[in-house]
Amino acid sequence: MIFDIKYKELVVYDGYAIAGEVLASGDFYERIMDVVKFTYTKSSSLEVAKNHSFNVNLFMSGAVNPVPVLKYYYKSKSVIATTYSNTRGIYVNSYLLRDVETYVGNGCHEFAHVPLGYSHGKTNFPPGSWRGYLMGDREDKNLSVPHMFATIGIQLAKEKGMIKK
């Protein structure tokens, strides 16, 4: 089990449960290998895939405790969930509830942060914007490991019939 879902809201629970299944599938590994280049990492697709596989195997064998998914109130209309460097867990924003598809993608996205440690850029400014450029953020965040994990997770969940297309 990858996630210990303590936030029992049904859409959150279902989304993270599906994300855990998708992340543990061999298909996920294969899709990572299909990515030509991730941004904000020097790791190749093979290295990202091996890191993913190694960590999934640790979780599935029980060698590592599942990542807690906790309820967190954050008054924001855009922050779905967050992680903190000083704690091990994913904090889902209870102020903003979305659909199952969102939480499938979010579970995969947050897994790329915790435990894999990948980032999606140095700033929260859009790539190509003048503020992002000044802050040194010049690559496409949508091609970062966390964002690509979300995209891959949602695609696979749809293909497997776990969520509606």
Side-chain angles (χ1 to χ4, degrees):
M1 179 189 312
I2 292 175
F3 300 112
D4 179 10
I5 310 162
K6 298 184 181 299
Y7 186 3
K8 302 298 184 189
E9 180 69 41
L10 191 57
V11 293
V12 174
Y13 190 90
D14 288 349
Y16 273 84
I18 293 168
E21 285 184 52
V22 169
L23 285 163
S25 74
D27 294 333
F28 199 91
Y29 179 91
E30 294 299 322
R31 294 287 171 93
I32 296 169
M33 294 296 295
D34 290 342
V35 176
V36 175
K37 168 85 174 84
F38 291 103
T39 59
Y40 297 105
T41 182
K42 292 180 180 174
S43 299
S44 67
S45 296
L46 176 61
E47 291 166 324
V48 173
K50 284 182 177 179
N51 187 10
H52 163 265
S53 180
F54 176 77
N55 279 278
V56 165
N57 287 335
L58 287 176
F59 283 104
M60 300 312 284
S61 71
V64 175
N65 290 332
V67 177
V69 177
L70 306 157
K71 182 177 182 177
Y72 177 75
Y73 184 82
Y74 185 78
K75 195 169 183 178
S76 166
K77 295 190 184 236
S78 62
V79 175
I80 297 166
T82 192
T83 60
Y84 296 100
S85 59
N86 61 344
T87 62
R88 185 175 177 271
I90 298 168
Y91 299 86
V92 178
N93 185 1
S94 64
Y95 177 77
L96 173 71
L97 282 177
R98 300 276 178 99
D99 55 17
V100 171
E101 180 179 321
T102 299
Y103 293 110
V104 170
N106 185 251
C108 295
H109 175 105
E110 298 300 340
F111 183 77
H113 291 311
V114 176
L116 302 186
Y118 292 104
S119 172
H120 47 73
K122 298 174 188 148
T123 70
N124 288 321
F125 302 113
S129 72
W130 67 271
R131 292 185 82 180
Y133 184 79
L134 291 174
M135 298 299 289
D137 208 2
R138 297 174 184 91
E139 295 188 83
D140 186 353
K141 283 187 177 135
N142 293 320
L143 298 177
S144 68
V145 175
H147 286 293
M148 287 300 295
F149 269 41
T151 300
I152 292 168
I154 290 169
Q155 286 172 348
L156 282 173
K158 286 180 177 179
E159 289 171 17
K160 293 175 180 281
M162 300 167 128
I163 55 176
K164 295 176 185 174
K165 290 187 180 185

